[in-house]
Amino acid sequence: MIGIILIIILTFFFPGIINRTKSILSGRKGPVILQPMYDIRLLLNKKSIFSNTSSIITQVGPTIYFASIVTSLLFLPFGSYSSVINFDNDFIYFIYILAFGKFFMVLTALDAGSSFQGMGASREVMYSMLIEPAILILIGALSMITGYTSFDEIFKFMDFTNNSYYLVTIICCYILVKFAMVENSRLPIDDPKTHLELTMVHEVMILDISGFDLALIHFANALKFTIFGSLIANCLFPPNSNILVLTLIFIVTQISFAVIIGFLESFNPRNKVVKNPQYLLTISAISLLAFVIALILTNKIT
Amino acid sequence: MFISGLIFKIVIILSLLTFFLKDKKLKAITLTSSILFTAITTFFCFNAFANSEAVSLKLDLLLWTWSGDSYIVIDKFNSIFIILYNVISLIGILYSFKYIENFDSVSTKIHYFALLWLQYSLFFIVVTDNFVNFLTAWEIMTITSFFLIIYDLKPQTIKVGINYLIQMHVCFFLLLFGFSLMLKYTGSYQISSLANADMFSNHAYLATISLLLLGFGFKAGFIPFHAWLPKAYTTAPSHISGIMSGVMVKMGIFGLLKVLLITQSNLLLLGSVIIIISIITGIYGILQATFQNDIKKLLAYSSIENIGIIGIGIGLFLIGKVYNNVYMQSIALTAVIIHIITHSLVKSFLFFITGNIYKTTHTKNINLMGGLIKKIPATSTMFITGMIALAGLPPLCGFFSKFLIFYTSYSNIFNDNFYKTIILLCVIIALGIISGLSVFAFTKASGIMLLGNKRSNVEYNSKMDNNIYAEVILLSIILIISLLPAVLFNFIFNIVCSVNNIFVEKIYYQNLQEIFIKINIITVIFAAIVTIIYLIRKRFINRNGFEKQATWGCGYTAINEKMQYTSTSMSDNLFDLAKPLIKKNVTNINFKDKEVFPKNKRLDYKTEDYADMFINKLIYFGELIIKKFAVTQTGKIQHYVLYAFIFLIIVFIISFL
């Protein structure tokens, strides 16, 4: 439970830290850290505007999307503390429940009958389809090294301090950062700051969503970041440490994750849209590398 | 047993009556005989579930007894299939009463006769062990399904029907050849004699098994033998497509399982080949589905994809058998059976729903539809539900089998065999890609068809939303299964273990059962979260108020329905990646350079299937060769007499040799 509470608390600061980093790097002072949350509060109290074309799907879609992300929180362990629900291969459910949310998000995008939202929807499903093998292979590698198949046990028995696991941990963190960037439609796949419909992915899907629903989606996206941040933190936890150390490492990891994203977004240009599939497949290829390392570590390739 | 024989006779006589009745009486007689048949066979099945031994019956009714005895065997394993297809056939018949308009015509009478006999033949395919009986029932299935496909008797339909008939007979002869080899080596008519691998010489055994697998693979629609499937499904009436994809294709899988469960040697080779073909089938099927604009074709290709997933499960089962891994064997086989059950139910359900949509819009082209959810809300909601189940997303039932296949793959990935690890890795990647693409294909289909505005000037009539009892029955079965995965798993797992004589420690399957119960708990939590957030949202929206406005057009106010995203444009993104696998034909572009005032132009996109193109080429060359022989058709009687004379001389010479 402590993990979930920390995740939710840190979510309030996460987008703010990214923004602050970006502003400082571009020579501006930048808004206060909590500014994105103030925006969300503002949205919560605004009038909703629905498209004439929209149907029941628009009414339930954002809610289901948000709920799917909240549900996926239950699977996240916190160091040696177990997750709320854990079973063998629980990460499959974790991935699929996120996909369920995405299914409704895409339907919501198509519901308005807009000329832009279908484009975003099409790109979003395609990118998450292409990134999915990367995470599956990565977990395969992790479960091969540790010999366990649930988030809980994998992270409990994954020992960062063990010399031979350095490489895998590094690749794992790298892929999780990239995965978080793609799932949240950040640079270099998509730039949430540019509002040119033709090049957007996620933002173009929510053009016709307003008020409470938009607040839900913004918060869900911030939550997604901290979920992946907590997975990264779990990779870095040293085994058998007490809760204070864990909390400290967790908070430091999340903040540095946000700062790293800020850095990446400041210095990375955006990909051409046609180049994106290639970029995503490269991530899968890197996770195959993790798998090969796992094969070597377990003495299958000698 | 006398009573059951009597009921079988009554059922057959009732089916003959369909020729003489019409309208309500025709409906009544069809329904009665179908229900009677379902009742008696289900009774046998429950008998089999209750007993630990298989129930074998001797039915004096069977006419084709010359090749040995006429025992039929009903055990727990085939009981699953019997109940499954009986339920689907029955609901299909119920649905057809709404779908078919003219109950007077001769073709309707033949249609119902064939529908009943399809149901009967499937039963005999499942229960018989004698290959002559098996093939006879198989042939009845083929011919009845041919009559069912060509229901509307349009020339195009008949062409597709004949194409289907020929391809199915290729499948039939492969089976016949395989079984003849079996007869030659073992001297037995029983299919189960395939288990005696030592009676064959080594290559002959592999040849026999491969021939049978090819034959059954043909029926199941594995690539590259799938060309008949999308055509037949698209042309047949919707309830027939539903029954065919839900039941008939699964007969191919049943045959595969029947052979593979008793195969003794070459398992590693067979398993690897099956996994590779299945992976190709799965990915190719769903890729094609993503590019289809015809909703029935999309569903047909998604059937091919699901056959691929089933094949992956079967392959894992064989690999587990090679390495003597009881857990892998039992779980993979359970996954296969659960996938067969869920896919049959969901796919026939979706075909029925598609029938409703077709009757509403009178088109199957997704690009022309849109906004159906406002016109036929019940049908549309059911369609989305079915699509979620078909994409294998939790909390609906499509998820369980995929989860089980992932479970076996991940649990066995840290074994000490390099080859096995690589195969399991391929399975994981393939399943990941397949699920991702299926989300793509099904969001595309449901989003473009049901949501947004109408994309063309087709007329909608909303009558089809009125009596949806057949669909509701099927939907409630799907929902019940979705809510009780632990029960389903336990039931199937025990049957699988008893069929294979596998002993699995109780702790192991209790662990899996607990997993399914936990999945249920998460489903409940998820539903609770959705409800809570929805209620909060409702309060906020009531407080803040809401307003309806035109869709955001980026400053452009005269936005119309022609500017919406279509099915073609949605899948176009993926096309660059899929180029090597998918052929796209663009037709009818004739823009002239010097046209000052261009007239209306039409642009058609069409994706083609390589297997289909190959068959077309084959037919083309066949026709060329046959045309060469047309020279002999002179129409003069003396020439024909001469041919007869030449023939006699040849026979005379050959008899001397």
Side-chain angles (χ1 to χ4, degrees), chain A residues 44-45 47-48 50-53 66 71 86 89 96 100 107 112-113 115 122 136 143 197 208 213 300, chain B residues 374 394 407 410 414-415 435 451 453 518 526 533 537 543-547 549 551-552 563-564 570 573:
Chain A
L44 282 179
N45 293 317
K47 189 160 92 175
S48 297
F50 301 121
S51 160
N52 285 330
T53 315
F66 184 75
T71 314
N86 59 296
N89 290 287
Y96 272 68
F100 183 74
L107 286 190
S115 38
S122 155
L136 289 173
S143 68
E197 280 85 350
D208 266 286
D213 290 339
K300 293 235 185 86
Chain B
K374 278 162 241 154
Y407 185 94
Y410 275 112
F414 33 83
N415 55 51
S435 341
L451 310 175
N453 282 319
K518 278 178 182 167
F526 179 64
I533 296 173
R537 176 185 180 276
R543 200 188 69 193
N544 302 332
F546 70 93
E547 192 181 321
Q549 282 188 7
T551 305
W552 166 247
M563 292 173 192
Q564 292 177 92
M570 235 189 124
N573 242 339

Side-chain angles (χ1 to χ4, degrees), chain B residues 311-582:
Chain B
I312 288 174
I314 295 176
L316 287 179
F317 160 73
L318 288 179
I319 302 269
K321 209 170 171 182
V322 174
Y323 293 107
N324 248 334
N325 183 342
V326 279
Y327 304 130
M328 196 167 159
Q329 274 184 57
S330 48
I331 304 234
L333 201 54
T334 315
V336 168
I337 308 275
I338 292 184
H339 199 89
I340 290 172
I341 294 173
T342 52
H343 176 247
S344 295
L345 292 170
V346 171
K347 193 44 81 55
S348 9
F349 173 67
L350 276 171
F351 268 117
F352 297 160
I353 297 289
T354 310
N356 282 356
I357 292 174
Y358 176 67
K359 285 274 167 177
T360 309
T361 61
H362 298 287
T363 173
K364 282 182 277 189
N365 191 344
I366 303 177
N367 278 336
L368 303 179
M369 298 182 201
L372 279 170
I373 199 164
K374 278 162 241 154
K375 201 75 186 171
I376 39 172
T379 302
S380 305
T381 320
M382 288 199 284
F383 188 82
I384 291 178
T385 318
M387 280 299 186
I388 292 169
L390 191 60
L393 297 175
L396 290 179
C397 56
F399 175 68
F400 307 137
S401 46
K402 273 188 185 168
F403 178 77
L404 281 175
I405 293 179
F406 271 126
Y407 185 94
T408 28
S409 313
Y410 275 112
S411 317
N412 292 294
I413 205 163
F414 33 83
N415 55 51
D416 27 78
N417 190 312
F418 179 66
Y419 182 68
K420 203 164 125 187
T421 307
I422 294 300
I423 283 192
L424 292 177
L425 180 69
C426 292
V427 167
I428 288 169
I429 298 175
L431 266 187
I433 294 174
I434 290 173
S435 341
L437 276 172
S438 51
V439 171
F440 196 144
F442 303 146
T443 44
K444 182 193 93 169
S446 38
I448 304 288
M449 280 167 72
L450 311 175
L451 310 175
N453 282 319
K454 209 194 313 182
R455 284 175 175 74
S456 67
N457 50 5
V458 289
E459 294 272 317
Y460 290 171
N461 66 345
S462 50
K463 257 197 305 191
M464 292 310 274
D465 229 7
N466 291 341
N467 52 2
I468 46 173
Y469 47 89
E471 294 94 312
V472 169
I473 294 171
L474 209 44
L475 178 66
S476 36
I477 296 174
I478 292 169
L479 290 182
I480 288 169
I481 288 181
S482 306
L483 288 175
L484 299 170
V487 178
L488 179 74
F489 170 76
N490 198 10
F491 180 66
I492 305 281
F493 191 80
N494 283 328
I495 290 174
V496 162
C497 287
S498 74
V499 167
N500 271 313
N501 297 321
I502 302 171
F503 176 73
V504 176
E505 283 162 46
K506 212 173 179 188
I507 296 173
Y508 194 71
Y509 82 80
Q510 269 175 352
N511 179 25
L512 261 164
Q513 235 172 318
E514 273 167 26
I515 289 177
F516 278 116
I517 290 169
K518 278 178 182 167
I519 287 179
N520 264 0
I521 294 172
I522 305 168
T523 310
V524 172
I525 294 176
F526 179 64
I529 295 175
V530 171
T531 326
I532 291 169
I533 296 173
Y534 190 74
L535 290 177
I536 295 174
R537 176 185 180 276
K538 213 171 176 184
R539 277 192 69 159
F540 266 87
I541 286 183
N542 280 345
R543 200 188 69 193
N544 302 332
F546 70 93
E547 192 181 321
K548 288 223 161 192
Q549 282 188 7
T551 305
W552 166 247
C554 191
Y556 184 66
T557 46
I559 198 160
N560 68 13
E561 71 279 350
K562 286 261 163 86
M563 292 173 192
Q564 292 177 92
Y565 242 57
T566 59
S567 155
T568 315
S569 48
M570 235 189 124
S571 54
D572 200 52
N573 242 339
L574 191 65
F575 184 68
D576 285 339
L577 272 182
K579 233 177 222 165
L581 293 173
I582 310 286

